[in-house]
Amino acid sequence: AQTVTQSQPEMSVQEAETVTLSCTYDTSESDYYLFWYKQPPSRQMILVIRQEAYKQQNATENRFSVNFQKAAKSFSLKISDSQLGDAAMYFCACFIIQGAQKLVFGQGTRLTINP
Amino acid sequence: NAGVMQNPRHLVRRRGQEARLRCSPMKGHSHVYWYRQLPEEGLKFMVYLQKENIIDESGMPKERFSAEFPKEGPSILRIQQVVRGDSAAYFCASSPLGTRPQGGNQPQHFGDGTRLSIL
């Protein structure tokens, strides 16, 4: 069974600063994807960034980047130049290609941006 | 192109009543997934359906919960004899094919969820 662990229930950062959210996962599969989702108070699930496990290069999307350490099964999210609109719950998720193809989510990290 | 549509957005039921949650997948999507999010927790997989077939229901509680995705119409998540512990947000997601997500796409497109409150 796959598991995803986010060890930081809450994080806070000053506006314009950089923050890193941690995520570790466990799977015996070799073909999988990793995602970070943002969930604002509206409850929408918004895809922030994705990483294919077979790619060594870390994914980046504007101010968002990941540090993907496959051997350590670590997938952290870095948010640069934090903005007030970044405040939300952030969920790390793992998607296995074979089998049921369900997303397995971590418990979430609540990010607060201090003005 | 409309996204995944869930209704109602909010549903209030008394203990012992039935709750029906509806999900219309994105156009062209034939795979539907239901997830449950308890307060202050992440989403947990419940069931994966294709048209007229349940593919994986390993996350569904054994009693009172059922799901269907008929040939015509939306997917329905049904909870019978609701209890306070059923209070949660229920999310539906859809995908076009049960295979590798192409390009920059996400594997599943999420609806905005139904918040179920049990009095």
Side-chain angles (χ1 to χ4, degrees), chain A residues 31 33 35 37 39 42-45 47 50 52 54 91 95 97 100-103 105-108 110, chain B residues 9 33 35 37 40-43 45 48 56 58 91 98-101 103-108 112-113 115:
Chain A
D31 194 5
Y33 289 69
F35 299 87
Y37 281 89
Q39 188 180 45
S42 64
R43 275 207 329 265
Q44 286 178 288
M45 293 296 289
L47 178 65
R50 58 177 266 164
E52 291 87 337
Y54 60 86
F91 294 98
F95 179 77
I97 302 301
Q101 304 198 342
K102 59 194 176 192
L103 280 161
F105 287 86
Q107 307 92 314
R110 182 178 302 282
Chain B
R9 188 94 163 105
Y33 307 77
Y35 294 83
Q37 184 180 28
E40 303 302 316
E41 293 188 13
L43 280 68
F45 169 80
Y48 165 33
D56 181 349
S58 59
F91 286 89
T99 55
R100 185 180 303 275
N105 294 330
Q106 54 187 318
Q108 299 168 11
D112 289 342
R115 182 180 295 281

Side-chain angles (χ1 to χ4, degrees), chain A:
Chain A
Q2 292 77 34
T3 59
V4 177
T5 302
Q6 294 177 248
S7 58
Q8 306 154 316
E10 296 182 354
M11 291 283 284
S12 63
V13 64
Q14 288 294 128
E15 193 176 3
E17 297 294 310
T18 296
V19 64
T20 298
L21 308 184
S22 301
C23 173
T24 58
Y25 61 95
D26 189 20
T27 179
S28 57
E29 300 289 335
S30 59
D31 194 5
Y32 56 90
Y33 289 69
L34 296 165
F35 299 87
W36 278 97
Y37 281 89
K38 171 184 176 181
Q39 188 180 45
S42 64
R43 275 207 329 265
Q44 286 178 288
M45 293 296 289
I46 301 168
L47 178 65
V48 175
I49 198 166
R50 58 177 266 164
Q51 174 81 42
E52 291 87 337
Y54 60 86
K55 287 187 177 179
Q56 292 186 333
Q57 187 173 7
N58 289 325
T60 62
E61 284 289 338
N62 301 314
R63 297 183 295 106
F64 299 87
S65 62
V66 299
N67 184 3
F68 175 45
Q69 302 290 327
K70 190 171 184 178
K73 295 184 178 175
S74 170
F75 182 61
S76 61
L77 173 69
K78 185 171 83 171
I79 306 174
S80 304
D81 185 25
S82 299
Q83 300 176 1
L84 294 178
D86 295 333
M89 285 290 290
Y90 285 82
F91 294 98
C92 178
C94 181
F95 179 77
I96 307 298
I97 302 301
Q98 298 301 323
Q101 304 198 342
K102 59 194 176 192
L103 280 161
V104 178
F105 287 86
Q107 307 92 314
T109 296
R110 182 178 302 282
L111 178 63
T112 302
I113 311 296
N114 299 316

Side-chain angles (χ1 to χ4, degrees), chain B residues 10-34:
Chain B
H10 302 277
L11 181 61
V12 180
R13 285 288 179 265
R14 296 189 180 279
R15 282 178 293 172
Q17 291 184 322
E18 178 180 287
R20 282 184 178 238
L21 288 63
R22 293 175 180 77
C23 169
S24 296
M26 285 182 69
K27 187 176 180 180
H29 288 195
S30 57
H31 298 241
V32 166
Y33 307 77
W34 285 94

Side-chain angles (χ1 to χ4, degrees), chain B residues 77-89:
Chain B
L77 179 66
R78 182 183 178 205
I79 311 172
Q80 294 179 290
Q81 299 175 338
V82 296
V83 300
R84 288 244 169 88
D86 297 333
S87 295

